[in-house]
Amino acid sequence: MRLGDLVIDVTPLRTSRDFRFLFAARLVSLLGLGLTLVALPLQVWQITHSSWHVGLVSVVNMVPMLIGTLAGGVLADRMDRRRLILLARGSAVIVFAVLALNAAAPSPYLWVIYASAAVNSVLNGLSATALMATTPNLVGRDQLPAAGALMAITAELGAIAGPSAAGVLTEFAGLPWNYGLTAVATLVTTALIAFIEPQPPAGGDIEEESPLRSIAGGLRFVASNRLITGLLLIDMVVVVFAMPAAIFPELTEKLYGDGGTVLGLFYAAPGVGAMIAALASGWTGTVKHTGRHLIWATAACGVAVAGLGLTADRLWAALFFLALLGAADTISEILRRALLQHNTPDHLQGRVSSLWLAQTNVGPAVGSVEVALAARVAGPAMALIAGGVLCAGGAVAVGAASRKLRDAGLHGPSADDLLEAAP
């Protein structure tokens, strides 16, 4: 491997005008949404002084997000995907404006927060699915790993900078400014997306199908394609067994007393590892056996979680394994997404993307419940060790059961190429 292969590949930004607009739009959007990650739970706490209500916001977000994601998959395969993103993000501007006005009122309404969060989750599901479905057309199938790494960079920057700015903004200006700036950022996002060329789906014709029949068509494709099935299974292994954040507060309190500072380090360390991995991801687009690298990257997630369980009482070792988890998960996600998009025909990109995103959104919630229950029964350290072993073992098992996944690569013909070559 050459040294140059360790540097993130920015070719999609250099060669695709539309991808540059998409990249900028996503970065601005995630920075804005990062403000609400702090504002929403904080405002609910200020109104109710109830952790139950704060937790309920996450539930209110999850179910509409699932609905929006599945609906977005159907819509993205039957209408211009750029238009769908514009409609979703343009509507979100109104949602954030409503939240800002509600926060500025003398007595903010709790139901407005819940309703706005639910509507915004639907809109996020619609736009995220359309964005994922249109990316292959903007960069070309040979640049999918590079595009995935660049998108990972935007996610990490948004996760770090958005909440950090939200804390300062809330303290010195107040919650209405948080929501107001999110509305402005979303408006800028919408304007940037408008510069992209129209992105109608190519091939296929589902306009006469009912939405349920369209979703069923996507499920049939996934079930009949062993590679896509393997990708979704290995993704489930990660999100269920390698997402330990739910027990960080308990773990740090038991091992480090108050744990406030340490807790912050525990939450930040995976992001540091993820950023390093994304910046050094140039090799992901050049390796021959992409599927095998994916299997080992997923297994590394399990090794990192088990390592955390074994070393949680030694701070620097624990932070190392958390950073390793973030790095391995980022590489795994880049490779999973690239293989999924490379091997899905364009007319199915929306529905297959929606199934993948639905699993990505629901899986961590299942994983949080699983690790919390395991920690209650066996203790946090044993819960982490068991989850890590299950993740690593599950990745190897899926790889062993799926030769298609083991042999998958990104340098052969894409799904659309195979369709065009078919008699």
Side-chain angles (χ1 to χ4, degrees):
M1 184 182 295
R2 296 180 295 108
L3 182 61
D5 290 336
L6 295 178
V7 179
I8 188 171
D9 185 358
V10 296
T11 301
L13 291 175
R14 290 191 290 102
T15 60
S16 173
R17 166 190 174 274
D18 285 344
F19 185 78
R20 288 195 293 272
F21 280 114
L22 185 68
F23 177 85
R26 179 172 161 83
L27 180 59
V28 172
S29 176
L30 290 175
L31 288 172
L33 292 174
L35 299 177
T36 64
L37 289 177
V38 174
L40 274 172
L42 177 59
Q43 188 179 19
V44 171
W45 171 257
Q46 289 177 346
I47 293 174
T48 66
H49 295 287
S50 167
S51 295
W52 163 253
H53 279 284
V54 174
L56 195 57
V57 173
S58 298
V59 177
V60 169
N61 283 338
M62 185 179 68
V63 176
M65 172 70 81
L66 183 60
I67 295 171
T69 299
L70 294 176
V74 174
L75 293 173
D77 284 342
R78 65 171 66 193
M79 66 180 289
D80 178 15
R81 292 161 182 168
R82 183 196 68 161
R83 183 184 176 195
L84 180 56
I85 299 172
L86 287 173
L87 289 172
R89 301 325 301 153
S91 300
V93 175
I94 300 173
V95 174
F96 292 122
V98 169
L99 283 168
L101 292 173
N102 183 60
S107 298
Y109 292 102
L110 184 62
W111 71 266
V112 171
I113 300 173
Y114 281 126
S116 298
V119 172
N120 186 57
S121 292
V122 173
L123 297 174
N124 281 341
L126 293 171
S127 60
T129 305
L131 184 149
M132 183 173 174
T134 200
T135 300
N137 289 336
L138 299 185
V139 302
R141 304 284 173 136
D142 61 324
Q143 290 297 321
L144 287 175
L150 290 166
M151 288 302 186
I153 289 288
T154 65
E156 296 306 323
L157 288 174
I160 295 170
S164 300
V168 176
L169 190 63
T170 300
E171 182 175 352
F172 291 100
L175 287 169
W177 281 93
N178 259 310
Y179 295 128
L181 285 180
T182 303
V184 172
T186 307
L187 182 62
V188 172
T189 296
T190 308
L192 289 168
I193 293 294
F195 285 101
I196 296 175
E197 295 295 324
Q199 298 294 319
D205 186 7
I206 66 167
E207 291 189 3
E208 301 301 322
E209 291 182 345
S210 68
L212 291 178
R213 190 178 294 273
S214 296
I215 294 173
L219 288 171
R220 284 195 301 272
F221 172 76
V222 170
S224 65
N225 189 305
R226 292 183 179 180
L227 172 56
I228 301 299
T229 301
L231 289 170
L232 292 179
L233 285 175
I234 208 164
D235 181 45
M236 182 61 75
V237 166
V238 176
V239 297
V240 171
F241 298 120
M243 295 291 163
I247 61 171
F248 283 177
E250 178 184 358
L251 190 67
T252 55
E253 181 177 318
K254 287 184 175 180
L255 294 177
Y256 299 97
D258 183 19
T261 301
V262 175
L263 178 61
L265 292 174
F266 268 51
Y267 279 118
V272 174
M275 181 69 75
I276 293 172
L279 290 172
S281 63
W283 62 272
T284 57
T286 61
V287 293
K288 182 178 180 181
H289 298 293
T290 309
R292 296 177 193 178
H293 284 81
L294 167 60
I295 293 166
W296 292 122
T298 305
C301 291
V303 171
V305 173
L308 173 62
L310 291 169
T311 64
D313 58 342
R314 285 162 279 170
L315 181 58
W316 292 110
L319 294 177
F320 166 78
F321 281 113
L322 283 168
L324 176 62
L325 173 60
D329 184 45
T330 295
I331 295 301
S332 178
E333 181 177 350
I334 290 171
L335 298 178
R336 287 196 310 267
R337 183 189 291 254
L339 285 171
L340 189 78
Q341 293 177 324
H342 183 79
N343 292 282
T344 300
D346 188 75
H347 70 279
L348 284 163
Q349 282 283 350
R351 282 166 287 174
V352 174
S353 296
S354 73
L355 294 172
W356 189 72
L357 289 171
Q359 176 175 279
T360 301
N361 289 325
V362 174
V366 176
S368 294
V369 173
E370 173 267 323
V371 74
L373 290 175
R376 186 171 184 177
V377 173
M382 284 304 301
L384 291 170
I385 294 170
V389 170
L390 288 171
C391 177
V396 173
V398 172
S402 176
R403 183 173 180 178
K404 289 282 188 181
L405 180 60
R406 295 196 307 273
D407 295 341
L410 295 169
H411 302 293
S414 69
D416 286 318
D417 294 333
L418 294 174
L419 281 179
E420 291 177 3

